[in-house]
């Protein structure tokens, strides 16, 4: 099992390109199951989760062709199997996204209960209740979700009592081939949901209201192929911006959409960063100054993303002052705190909040990643620590960050990967 070794103490300085968003690419790949025509997906990040999704599609009988520019053409005309096996689904929670498209187009799907990061309860009951309201028969048996329908799904009014990104995406995809109109209320507003809707519209779907709390879908008998480039990864961009701020450095991000990061940029300005933006770039400069601690509370979009909470915890650990981080999305997302305290961070967790009292510097120690974003926060901690930090179980970070050590080296970091 590979590990990362980081020699801290260097202020990041330089320019990097932001990759395509994993959380946009995965549902777009699943959407290709809705048509027998080719769907070409561009700007895919080269990540383990993307590979897993392509393997899962291949297991269903879908053909994927990669061209010389690393765009992927997905051909789902010859689906041979309607079962997503446990061995693939257990490694990636987003595998549940094949459920809605398979049922909508083929009338049946069997998907293992999903796995992924152990950051708390993320039930799929809203997906299943939504499909049942659209006329499907749903049962959970032997660790598998089995959904069937005797005819086309029926349009329905679906109220989601909890905001769910994958639930909104799954039901939105299913509704594109349903008979009649579907209304999804209390829908997730995340940019990745909007990106999926734009892809579906290119395929011929009739969707309105994406990006608001109410999405209206008028079902079509069939969808066609399209070419779609996924949007930039706002979480990757946020991670590198926070890393530069924590190290008192400077960074320029290119191929990024600043409008997607308004909450993060506001907090970084509060921390003392000088920030300027253009149509497709962001520049942050700490001018060598120590960041100031910030208070942060996660919330569904357009609030502060839970996926950047751990990174800001790392920034507060070396900031001047005390900051309070409150997590409202997942109940078990402070697992990085214990590892940071091994490095000298002063953090007190009480319920859903972490009070972080900044220290002048951290000290290197062997630490272990517990989930995807926790691993990113430990990388940031390693960048600001004195000495060599060894991060174990980095397979988590490979699920969500493309070429992280190469990009950090472009910014001047001393980081390398070693075999376990």
């Amino acid at each position: 099992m590979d590990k990362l070794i980081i020699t801290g103490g260097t202020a990041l300085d330089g320019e990097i390109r932001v990759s395509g968003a994993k959380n946009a690419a995965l549902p777009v790949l699943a959407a290709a199951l809705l048509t027998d025509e080719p769907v070409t997906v561009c700007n895919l990040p080269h990540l383990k989760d993307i590979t897993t999704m392509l393997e899962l599609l291949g297991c269903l009988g879908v053909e994927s062709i990669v061209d010389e520019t690393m765009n992927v053409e997905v051909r789902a005309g010859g689906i041979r199997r309607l079962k997503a096996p446990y061995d693939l689904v257990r490694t990636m929670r987003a595998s549940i996204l094949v459920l809605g498209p398979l049922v909508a187009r083929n009338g049946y799907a069997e998907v293992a209960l999903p796995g992924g990061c152990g950051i708390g309860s993320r039930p799929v009951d809203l997906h299943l209740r939504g499909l049942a309201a659209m006329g499907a028969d749903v049962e959970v048996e032997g660790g598998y979700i089995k959904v069937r329908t005797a005819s086309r799904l029926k349009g329905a009014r679906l109220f989601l009592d909890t905001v769910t990104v994958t639930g909104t995406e799954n039901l939105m995809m299913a509704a594109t081939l349903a008979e009649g109109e579907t209304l999804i209320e209390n829908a997730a507003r995340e940019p990745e949901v909007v990106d999926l809707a734009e892809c579906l519209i290119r395929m011929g779907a009739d969707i309105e209201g994406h990006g608001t709390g109410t999405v209206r879908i008028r079902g079509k008998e069939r969808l066609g192929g399209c070419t779609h480039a996924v949007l930039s990864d706002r979480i990757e961009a946020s991670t590198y911006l926070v890393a530069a701020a924590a190290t008192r450095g400077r960074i320029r991000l290119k191929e990024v959409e600043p409008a997607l990061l308004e909450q993060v940029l506001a907090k970084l300005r509060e921390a003392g960063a000088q920030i300027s933006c253009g149509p497709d770039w962001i520049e942050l400069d700490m001018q060598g100054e120590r960041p100031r601690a910030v208070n942060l509370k996660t919330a569904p979009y357009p609030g502060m993303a839970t996926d950047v909470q751990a990174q800001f915890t790392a920034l507060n650990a070396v900031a001047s002052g005390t900051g309070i981080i409150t997590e409202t999305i997942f109940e078990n997302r402070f697992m990085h705190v214990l590892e940071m305290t091994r490095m000298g961070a002063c953090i007190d967790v009480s319920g859903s909040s972490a009070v972080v009292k900044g220290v002048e510097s951290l000290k290197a120690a062997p630490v272990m990643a517990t989930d995807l974003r926790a691993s990113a926060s430990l990388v940031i901690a390693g960048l600001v620590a004195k000495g060599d930090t060894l991060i174990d179980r980095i397979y988590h970070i490979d699920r969500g960050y493309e070429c992280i050590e190469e990009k950090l080296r472009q910014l001047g970091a001393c980081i390398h990967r070693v075999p376990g």
Side-chain angles (χ1 to χ4, degrees):
M1 192 179 295
D2 288 356
K3 300 176 176 61
L4 286 177
I5 297 179
I6 305 172
T7 303
T10 301
L12 299 184
D13 189 357
E15 177 181 271
I16 57 171
R17 172 190 173 273
V18 177
S19 301
K22 178 195 78 162
N23 289 339
L26 293 173
V28 166
L29 288 171
L33 292 167
L34 291 164
T35 179
D36 59 2
E37 295 182 12
V39 174
T40 300
V41 186
C42 309
N43 199 34
L44 278 177
H46 307 311
L47 299 171
K48 175 61 177 172
D49 276 9
I50 299 298
T51 302
T52 300
M53 179 61 85
L54 291 174
E55 288 177 3
L56 176 56
L57 293 177
C59 179
L60 300 173
V62 175
E63 183 181 9
S64 300
I65 303 170
V66 182
D67 69 15
E68 65 277 2
T69 59
M70 298 307 293
N71 298 326
V72 177
E73 183 180 88
V74 183
R75 299 178 179 177
I79 295 177
R80 299 186 304 272
R81 189 181 186 191
L82 300 176
K83 180 177 180 178
Y86 173 73
D87 283 349
L88 286 174
V89 174
R90 68 182 177 87
T91 65
M92 185 182 68
R93 183 172 185 80
S95 303
I96 192 70
L97 288 166
V98 304
L99 182 65
L102 283 176
V103 173
R105 182 173 161 214
N106 300 279
Y108 182 78
E110 189 172 336
V111 179
L113 288 167
C117 289
I119 56 174
S121 175
R122 297 193 284 182
V124 298
D125 61 306
L126 294 179
H127 305 232
L128 307 187
R129 275 190 269 161
L131 291 171
M134 297 170 74
D137 293 322
V138 179
E139 64 176 329
V140 179
E141 181 182 43
Y144 279 82
I145 302 164
K146 299 178 182 180
V147 183
R148 58 170 49 85
T149 179
S151 59
R152 286 176 66 188
L153 292 170
K154 309 295 182 184
R157 177 180 175 270
L158 309 176
F159 178 79
L160 307 180
D161 54 19
T162 302
V163 176
T164 163
V165 172
T166 55
T168 300
E169 291 168 340
N170 229 341
L171 296 173
M172 185 166 63
M173 286 189 285
T176 61
L177 293 180
E179 182 180 345
E181 182 177 280
T182 298
L183 199 65
I184 304 176
E185 297 182 293
N186 200 29
R189 305 179 184 188
E190 270 71 3
E192 295 78 16
V193 175
V194 175
D195 197 55
L196 172 62
E198 294 295 335
C199 175
L200 293 169
I201 290 169
R202 287 191 175 94
M203 295 169 68
D206 185 348
I207 303 175
E208 297 175 353
H210 43 297
T212 75
T214 302
V215 181
R216 187 183 305 272
I217 308 103
R218 298 175 182 89
K220 297 289 188 71
E221 288 192 10
R222 67 182 303 275
L223 298 182
C226 76
T227 297
H228 179 78
V230 300
L231 84 171
S232 59
D233 192 330
R234 61 193 174 103
I235 306 302
E236 183 196 44
S238 300
T239 299
Y240 287 114
L241 288 167
V242 173
T247 62
R248 311 186 189 190
R250 186 197 71 84
I251 191 172
R252 182 183 175 92
L253 301 179
K254 55 185 180 179
E255 298 185 36
V256 64
E257 300 170 49
L260 303 181
L261 285 85
E262 289 181 351
Q263 288 277 1
V264 169
L265 296 179
K267 282 298 172 184
L268 288 170
R269 288 189 176 101
E270 189 179 323
Q274 301 295 311
I275 296 175
S276 55
C277 303
D280 60 355
W281 58 269
I282 300 171
E283 187 168 300
L284 175 147
D285 192 348
M286 291 300 293
Q287 300 180 331
E289 296 296 321
R290 183 183 180 188
R292 297 189 292 267
V294 297
N295 296 328
L296 181 151
K297 184 176 183 179
T298 65
Y301 192 86
M304 183 65 72
T306 181
D307 280 353
V308 299
Q309 175 259 107
Q311 296 90 314
F312 272 100
T313 302
L315 180 141
N316 275 354
V318 293
S320 61
T322 298
I324 301 174
I325 306 288
T326 302
E327 173 61 54
T328 71
I329 308 298
F330 296 122
E331 74 277 10
N332 193 26
R333 209 164 198 182
F334 283 127
M335 292 186 288
H336 49 282
V337 166
L338 287 176
E339 300 302 296
M340 286 187 191
T341 57
R342 288 166 49 79
M343 302 174 70
C346 183
I347 307 174
D348 181 30
V349 176
S350 177
S352 61
S353 294
V355 179
V356 189
K357 182 178 180 182
V359 297
E360 190 66 34
S361 66
L362 299 179
K363 296 180 181 179
V367 292
M368 181 175 66
T370 53
D371 63 71
L372 172 53
R373 305 308 172 183
S375 61
S377 72
L378 295 179
V379 168
I380 295 172
L383 291 170
V384 298
K386 294 180 179 179
D388 294 339
T389 297
L390 179 70
I391 304 177
D392 202 353
R393 294 177 64 183
I394 62 167
Y395 61 84
H396 287 295
I397 209 164
D398 290 336
R399 291 183 48 236
Y401 290 90
E402 180 179 42
C403 306
I404 187 168
E405 62 265 39
E406 288 89 341
K407 288 187 175 183
L408 285 172
R409 282 198 291 267
Q410 288 179 44
L411 300 172
C414 182
I415 177 173
H416 60 279
R417 182 179 297 246
V418 295

